[in-house]
Amino acid sequence: MSYFPWLTILIVLPIFAGSSIVFFPHRENKVYRWYTLCICILELLLMTYVFCYHFQLDDPLTQLKEDYKWIYFFFDFHWRLGTNGLSIGPILLTGFITTLATLAAWPVTRNPRFLYFLMLAIYSGQIGSFSSRDLFLFFIMWELELIPVYLLLSMWGGKNACTRLQSLFCALPEVPFFS
């Protein structure tokens, strides 16, 4: 059993890598595209490694557990992460689909820094929401995922972006209550 914080690294790596895009010089779109694609592939390979070598499929309990005290103010909030057999599929699928979405966004030329930052922020939020074991952390990860989706749809959503945003926010508020 490994006590290394694999899930925290899987969550934090894309958001920090996306934040470092701001420090890149203003050049062509190729730099942002290749950087984001390399981060997505690295993340996919890292999560495949973690689930192949540190996750035991015959154990039905929660594995790769992490529990750290997080916010000390008035409440006792914890950074609780863990995976079980049900969350492996969505996490791996998130890695694969985000890599494909990065390739699909290749022809986008308008504001590529912000686009690829938002894609990596969504990536972190999705992995965090699939692996969180604390309700407060789940809602934070859910919002970390939802706000960039709103921004992506509003900026690159096309001519019917307003209709898509309305349907998104009519359907999504109920989802966390059914998880």
Side-chain angles (χ1 to χ4, degrees):
M1 183 165 152
S2 174
Y3 293 104
F4 191 74
W6 290 111
L7 293 175
T8 299
I9 289 176
L10 289 176
I11 292 169
V12 170
L13 176 68
I15 195 72
F16 279 156
S19 299
S20 69
I21 288 178
V22 175
F23 301 113
F24 284 5
H26 263 311
R27 293 226 174 116
E28 301 175 12
N29 294 340
K30 291 181 183 178
V31 175
Y32 310 125
R33 292 173 185 161
W34 283 107
Y35 177 74
T36 306
L37 183 63
C38 288
I39 292 299
C40 289
I41 290 173
L42 175 72
E43 181 86 6
L44 181 62
L45 291 174
L46 183 64
M47 73 176 60
T48 305
Y49 167 77
V50 168
F51 288 132
C52 284
Y53 293 107
H54 297 285
F55 191 85
Q56 297 151 356
L57 291 174
D58 56 348
D59 187 4
L61 300 175
T62 304
Q63 299 177 38
L64 301 172
K65 292 181 187 178
E66 299 175 29
D67 191 358
Y68 307 107
K69 268 196 173 278
W70 184 28
I71 300 175
Y72 292 101
F73 295 119
F74 298 110
F75 301 104
D76 193 23
F77 293 119
H78 287 260
W79 179 267
R80 284 192 183 116
L81 300 172
T83 57
N84 55 16
L86 291 176
S87 61
I88 290 177
I91 291 174
L92 287 172
L93 192 63
T94 297
F96 181 69
I97 289 178
T98 303
T99 306
L100 290 180
T102 303
L103 289 171
W106 210 261
V108 173
T109 58
R110 190 181 72 174
N111 204 355
R113 271 188 191 183
F114 194 52
L115 171 77
Y116 291 118
F117 166 73
L118 291 175
M119 289 181 71
L120 290 173
I122 291 171
Y123 198 7
S124 287
Q126 287 175 337
I127 294 171
S129 63
F130 288 134
S131 63
S132 65
R133 292 179 33 223
D134 186 54
L135 187 62
F136 182 70
L137 180 63
F138 173 77
F139 279 113
I140 286 178
M141 292 297 168
W142 179 260
E143 291 301 321
L144 179 65
E145 175 186 355
L146 196 60
I147 292 169
V149 167
Y150 171 80
L151 291 172
L152 273 174
L153 280 176
S154 65
M155 294 180 73
W156 291 278
K159 57 184 174 184
N160 293 330
C162 216
T163 308
R164 291 184 186 125
L165 288 171
Q166 286 175 350
S167 63
L168 173 77
F169 283 102
C170 287
L172 285 181
E174 297 88 22
V175 173
F177 298 110
F178 294 115
S179 315

